[in-house]
Amino acid sequence: MNGRRILIVVAAVALLILVLPMTVAGEEETTNITIGVNEYVVLNNDIYIEVRDVGTVGISYAEVWFRSSQDAVGTTKNLYRGDVPAIYISGTGLKIEVTLDYIFSNAASFGITSSKALYVTDRKAGKVETEPVTVPKLIIKRTIDPNEAEIGQTVKVTLTIKNTGNGTATDITLAEGTIAKTYKDGCPSTIDDIAAGATERIEYDLKIGDDVQPGTREMPASVLNYKGETGVSDSTESQSSVLEIIAGEVLLPELTISTDPIDYVVTCGDEVPMVVTITNVGNATSEKVYVKGDLPHGVRLKGGELEPIYESIKPDKSEEYEVTLVANEEGEHVVEMNVMWADEEATAVFEFRAEKSGLEKYYVYIIAAIPILLILLWIIKRRREYSY
Amino acid sequence: MLNILVLGLGQCGNRILDAMNREAFGRGGTFAKYYTRQKFPASVKTIAINTAINDLKGLVDTRARDRLHVPHLHGVGANRTIGKRVFEENKEIIMSEIDKRGTFDLIFIITSAAGGSGSSFAPLLIRELKETYTNAPVVCITVLPFREEGSIFLQNAAFCLKDVIDEKPTGVLLVDNQYLKKYAGDIKSAYDKINNTTARRLLFLIEALNSEMLMVTDLGDLKTVMNGGIGIGTMGFYEASKDSTIKSAILGSFKPSGLLFPTNVYKEGARAMLIIKGDKKYLDLDLITKTIEELSTEIGQVFKGVLVQRGRPRVLSLFTLNSVPELEKLYATAAEAIRFEKERRDRSRNQLDSAFSHIEDLEPIY
């Protein structure tokens, strides 16, 4: 049906061209001319334009032979649709710029532009049974929803394929990009034919494997290979996609231990209170929590239980206890406290400095002074014995 | 072990007693008293007795508890009359303090005959001691003054010595400052030398009496010697030189230069005691015996004691005398001084009375 209409239109146009010479405006005016294969038109009794072949190889083209009265050999050019205009200058200096507008099965329609008015002064036209060339053109778009997912989660991948061409796309195969250690469920490798102007929507599930490493992953483009009705193959591809894989929430207890000194500097023999706080900062209850304390040499436990055992500590809950230490020796003392749960362990250190008391500092001198004092007392005693 | 009491009376007695205490420290020097005790050769108790507290304070090597102050102002001012009264008033205190020291086998009283406290206390104390300690010989070492010290001291010495002898102590050993001062230059040195010499000889005697000797003499012999003659005696001493014999050492102790009181031992001696100490190699017993036999023909009974001790021979001789010519001189000088003093006092009195006579019939007009 369409073919007949086109033939009528083409015949009518050809008739008008023959009967009514076309006057082209003097300044850069464009004349549209359809020329059948192996036919020609003569412009201004000077330029011959003959179409030798039309076809489609991915893109429509027409092989055109330009010659003129003073250029018998002329030049043959392949004009491509959408390409820049082909320029031809006749032997008399007439310059034309020709673009390929459209091709038919055995004809091509051109737009001819010149600074001079163009007239079709002659034409060789046979019976042109032109059939329009149908070419499918697929556009594919891919979306991932959501594009941020945890390990083990399944996301929905949507492929939207639109045929923007004028022919039906057939033999469509889909080569879908893959992210390592993800698994597609329902992703087709072939797709039914898509008519011109039609849109196909394909959805499939993409499951993120448990052993995948979290992070930003790029999913390569989806590639479509297809053919047109003419059997010409073509392909298209989507943009690559990005999927943010995040680690899934794991329920684990996480304990921290901290110690609070009341006074950093103490005197030897004084009591040193140490407050130990164990907090579960994880998201699961910790069972059987053991606390171990390592007292350094010169420090002893005076009060409290240094190494308690807790049956459980719930998330965001703390256990706190206080012990009393006594340092017998001066110097820096470091008490290491460990909390152990499951196979985990956390450590905190409790540091304080013990100094000798004022009296102890002078023990050496006092000890040294004692015999001197005794001697002195003895001398005084003896002196008093002999003093009257 | 003998229990011996040594009493130092008055300033002179105190100082000789202090010298004994110092000698008892041995060779420790000034600081010996701060780290050691006196090492007397016997159980010796010492008491320094005085009415003048400053004299007691001046002692250095006598323990405070061995110093007894008999309170009377600051001394009796060389006044024996007052001294006697003070003694009588404090007799119980003095005897009580002595009694605290226990019982005694021998008592020495050291005093100056010239001073106030010592010269007045000594005779009375002899009496009390004889009554209290009936079995203990009481020997009084009496120090005679320099003759030029003044009439009061001479008077005191004369009367004191008489009083002492009247109380019949076991014996009186004289030490004459006048005689001994020639051995030192100045007065202080002379006093020190006299004090030290006297102290050493007493300690020498005490050690001998308390020791086991090669040839024995003892307290009984001492009493016998002290009972000889008129009960007055003195001591001599001699330390032999390297090459001298024991005989020369014995005879050396009889020389006037070694005596504490000037006398002719050979002529005046009644009884004697010789105490010889020294290394055994020097102690020729035959020679000692022979020498003493020779001396006995001149002096009378001579007791001997020989003590083996390191060092060269040292001989202490202790005598009692039949007569004491030097005392006659002393008493004559004292009597003259008393008379002179009395005459001068009478003259002064008369002069004063004459002066007073000018106002005899007058009355004060104010």
Side-chain angles (χ1 to χ4, degrees):
Chain A
M1 192 66 180
N2 287 337
R4 288 189 66 181
R5 282 183 185 170
I6 292 169
L7 284 172
I8 293 168
V9 170
V10 169
V13 168
L15 186 63
L16 285 172
I17 289 170
L18 289 173
V19 174
L20 299 172
M22 183 172 290
T23 302
V24 180
E27 292 298 325
E28 294 289 328
E29 291 193 0
T30 301
T31 301
N32 294 314
I33 299 173
T34 300
I35 305 170
V37 176
N38 296 322
E39 292 180 356
Y40 65 88
V41 296
V42 180
L43 297 178
N44 297 3
N45 289 320
D46 187 11
I47 296 175
Y48 288 75
I49 302 173
E50 181 176 340
V51 176
R52 290 188 167 176
D53 190 16
V54 296
T56 301
V57 183
I59 188 169
S60 301
Y61 72 94
E63 183 182 349
V64 182
W65 180 27
F66 296 95
R67 59 191 172 90
S68 65
S69 54
Q70 294 181 12
D71 178 21
V73 176
T75 182
T76 302
K77 294 185 179 182
N78 285 331
L79 276 64
Y80 297 93
R81 188 179 175 197
D83 201 356
V84 295
I87 298 172
Y88 178 75
I89 301 172
S90 69
T92 61
L94 177 59
K95 179 184 176 186
I96 60 172
E97 294 180 0
V98 181
T99 59
L100 175 62
D101 289 342
Y102 207 78
I103 65 167
F104 303 97
S105 59
N106 59 350
S109 177
F110 302 97
I112 302 168
T113 304
S114 176
S115 57
K116 293 183 177 178
L118 297 175
Y119 305 97
V120 178
T121 55
D122 193 11
R123 181 180 191 103
K124 177 189 177 186
K127 185 180 180 183
V128 178
E129 291 184 1
T130 57
E131 286 291 331
V133 177
T134 59
V135 178
K137 184 167 183 63
L138 298 183
I139 298 171
I140 182 168
K141 181 181 177 186
R142 181 175 64 196
T143 58
I144 301 174
D145 184 30
N147 59 2
E148 183 177 293
E150 295 176 355
I151 293 171
Q153 191 177 347
T154 299
V155 298
K156 185 76 74 182
V157 180
T158 302
L159 300 174
T160 304
I161 305 166
K162 184 176 181 180
N163 187 352
T164 59
N166 59 355
T168 300
T170 61
D171 300 332
I172 305 169
T173 60
L174 172 65
E176 178 66 313
T178 301
I179 296 174
K181 297 181 180 176
T182 60
Y183 308 99
K184 304 184 187 76
D185 183 15
C187 178
S189 58
T190 60
I191 299 171
D192 293 342
D193 294 349
I194 301 174
T199 299
E200 183 70 24
R201 189 182 187 85
I202 298 169
E203 290 183 349
Y204 69 89
D205 292 334
L206 180 68
K207 180 176 172 56
I208 301 166
D210 293 335
D211 51 351
V212 70
Q213 289 295 320
T216 302
R217 295 286 181 273
E218 182 176 0
M219 190 173 186
S222 303
V223 178
L224 284 176
N225 292 305
Y226 59 94
K227 291 181 179 177
E229 292 170 348
T230 59
V232 176
S233 297
D234 200 353
S235 68
T236 186
E237 62 183 35
S238 68
Q239 298 286 325
S240 61
S241 305
V242 172
L243 177 62
E244 185 73 26
I245 299 172
I246 56 177
E249 184 181 18
V250 179
L251 295 178
L252 283 175
E254 176 76 24
L255 299 185
T256 62
I257 183 169
S258 62
T259 57
D260 294 324
I262 302 304
D263 191 356
Y264 179 72
V265 179
V266 298
T267 301
C268 288
D270 283 358
E271 294 183 356
V272 184
M274 177 177 74
V275 179
V276 182
T277 306
I278 300 153
T279 304
N280 187 353
V281 296
N283 54 8
T285 298
S286 176
E287 306 291 340
K288 281 286 182 189
V289 176
Y290 299 91
V291 181
K292 294 288 179 187
D294 185 14
L295 295 181
H297 179 71
V299 176
R300 63 183 172 83
L301 178 69
K302 183 170 184 186
E305 188 180 358
L306 184 65
E307 300 180 337
I309 299 172
Y310 299 103
E311 289 302 317
S312 65
I313 299 177
K314 292 180 178 177
D316 297 329
K317 297 294 181 186
S318 295
E319 293 288 349
E320 184 176 292
Y321 68 97
E322 181 174 329
V323 295
T324 303
L325 307 176
V326 172
N328 298 321
E329 296 180 5
E330 67 169 338
E332 297 282 352
H333 295 294
V334 179
V335 180
E336 186 173 305
M337 299 299 300
N338 296 301
V339 61
M340 291 171 279
W341 73 101
D343 292 330
E344 301 293 329
E345 181 177 333
T347 301
V349 292
F350 174 74
E351 293 182 69
F352 67 97
R353 177 174 179 76
E355 294 181 342
K356 284 183 176 178
S357 66
L359 195 60
E360 280 180 299
K361 288 178 184 173
Y362 299 106
Y363 269 172
V364 173
Y365 305 104
I366 291 170
I367 290 170
I370 285 173
I372 296 171
L373 191 64
L374 290 174
I375 291 169
L376 200 62
L377 289 172
W378 174 257
I379 290 171
I380 292 170
K381 176 178 175 290
R382 294 302 292 267
R383 181 173 173 75
R384 291 187 66 180
E385 278 186 32
Y386 288 89
S387 295
Y388 190 77
Chain B
M1 179 177 283
L2 290 174
N3 293 311
I4 298 171
L5 175 66
V6 182
L7 300 171
L9 308 182
Q11 185 188 64
C12 175
N14 290 169
R15 291 187 177 180
I16 293 174
L17 183 77
D18 202 44
M20 282 183 71
N21 279 319
R22 182 164 53 254
E23 288 294 324
F25 277 122
R27 295 181 177 179
T30 308
F31 300 104
K33 64 183 176 184
Y34 293 116
Y35 61 84
T36 186
R37 292 283 185 191
Q38 282 122 336
K39 296 179 182 65
F40 285 107
S43 172
V44 176
K45 303 289 191 301
T46 63
I47 305 176
I49 302 170
N50 206 331
T51 55
I53 195 166
N54 286 339
D55 289 342
L56 290 171
K57 285 181 178 177
L59 303 182
V60 176
D61 295 297
T62 302
R63 288 186 297 182
R65 67 180 184 182
D66 290 337
R67 303 180 205 181
L68 176 62
H69 178 227
V70 179
H72 185 270
L73 301 176
H74 284 279
V76 296
N79 189 326
R80 293 190 70 245
T81 305
I82 296 173
K84 287 178 183 176
R85 182 166 50 80
V86 170
F87 180 85
E88 291 297 339
E89 290 171 358
N90 296 277
K91 183 170 61 181
E92 289 182 0
I93 296 172
I94 295 169
M95 293 309 294
S96 169
E97 193 65 29
I98 293 170
D99 186 55
K100 288 178 187 173
R101 269 66 179 177
T103 57
F104 310 104
D105 301 310
L106 175 61
I107 299 172
F108 288 107
I109 295 174
I110 308 169
T111 182
S112 164
S117 300
S119 66
S120 56
F121 280 20
L124 301 176
L125 191 55
I126 289 169
R127 183 193 302 162
E128 293 296 326
L129 290 170
K130 283 178 67 180
E131 288 177 3
T132 306
Y133 304 99
T134 51
N135 293 324
V138 179
V139 177
C140 185
I141 292 96
T142 307
V143 182
L144 302 178
F146 299 127
R147 305 299 184 265
E148 61 272 23
E149 278 189 82
S151 61
I152 293 176
F153 291 128
L154 280 174
Q155 174 186 310
N156 283 349
F159 285 101
C160 169
L161 189 58
K162 180 178 180 299
D163 288 348
V164 166
I165 291 171
D166 287 348
E167 293 296 336
K168 295 184 174 54
T170 306
V172 176
L173 294 174
L174 293 177
V175 179
D176 193 349
N177 282 351
Q178 181 71 24
Y179 181 64
L180 294 171
K181 74 174 184 179
K182 61 179 177 289
Y183 298 117
D186 58 281
I187 292 297
K188 183 181 184 306
S189 299
Y191 277 134
D192 289 342
K193 186 170 178 63
I194 293 165
N195 294 341
N196 291 335
T197 301
T198 308
R200 283 179 194 141
R201 292 184 188 186
L202 272 175
L203 289 173
F204 194 105
L205 175 63
I206 290 169
E207 183 183 14
L209 294 175
N210 195 60
S211 302
E212 291 183 7
M213 292 189 279
L214 199 61
M215 299 176 80
V216 178
T217 187
D218 55 20
L219 186 58
D221 295 341
L222 177 69
K223 289 170 69 175
T224 302
V225 171
M226 297 310 297
N227 285 329
I230 56 173
I232 297 174
T234 189
M235 289 187 286
F237 182 81
Y238 188 84
E239 181 169 0
S241 61
K242 192 176 179 182
D243 300 321
S244 56
T245 62
I246 190 66
K247 181 179 181 179
S248 64
I250 292 170
L251 297 178
S253 72
F254 287 21
K255 290 179 181 177
S257 60
L259 299 177
L260 294 178
F261 179 79
T263 186
N264 186 339
V265 175
Y266 297 101
K267 186 179 176 184
E268 311 294 343
R271 291 174 187 168
M273 174 182 277
L274 288 174
I275 298 167
I276 304 163
K277 295 181 187 176
D279 200 294
K280 197 169 184 179
K281 64 183 179 183
Y282 299 117
L283 303 179
D284 184 342
L285 295 181
D286 290 339
L287 184 57
I288 292 171
T289 304
K290 190 177 177 183
T291 304
I292 289 174
E293 284 174 356
E294 289 174 4
L295 287 172
S296 295
T297 60
E298 296 185 63
I299 298 173
Q301 180 64 43
V302 178
F303 294 91
K304 61 181 180 298
V306 178
L307 184 61
V308 177
Q309 203 172 64
R310 291 180 63 183
R312 285 178 287 178
R314 284 150 287 155
V315 180
L316 176 77
S317 56
L318 189 147
F319 308 96
T320 46
L321 305 169
N322 286 318
S323 60
V324 192
E326 184 62 27
L327 275 185
E328 283 194 28
K329 293 180 188 175
L330 174 70
Y331 273 85
T333 306
E336 188 179 345
I338 292 167
R339 275 195 295 274
F340 177 75
E341 182 72 19
K342 186 174 184 304
E343 286 172 5
R344 193 168 61 176
R345 182 183 289 181
D346 289 345
R347 197 164 50 245
S348 298
R349 185 70 223 177
N350 292 335
Q351 196 175 28
L352 191 61
D353 288 344
S354 174
F356 288 163
S357 66
H358 289 290
I359 59 169
E360 198 171 48
D361 300 326
L362 299 176
E363 291 292 333
I365 59 174
Y366 297 110

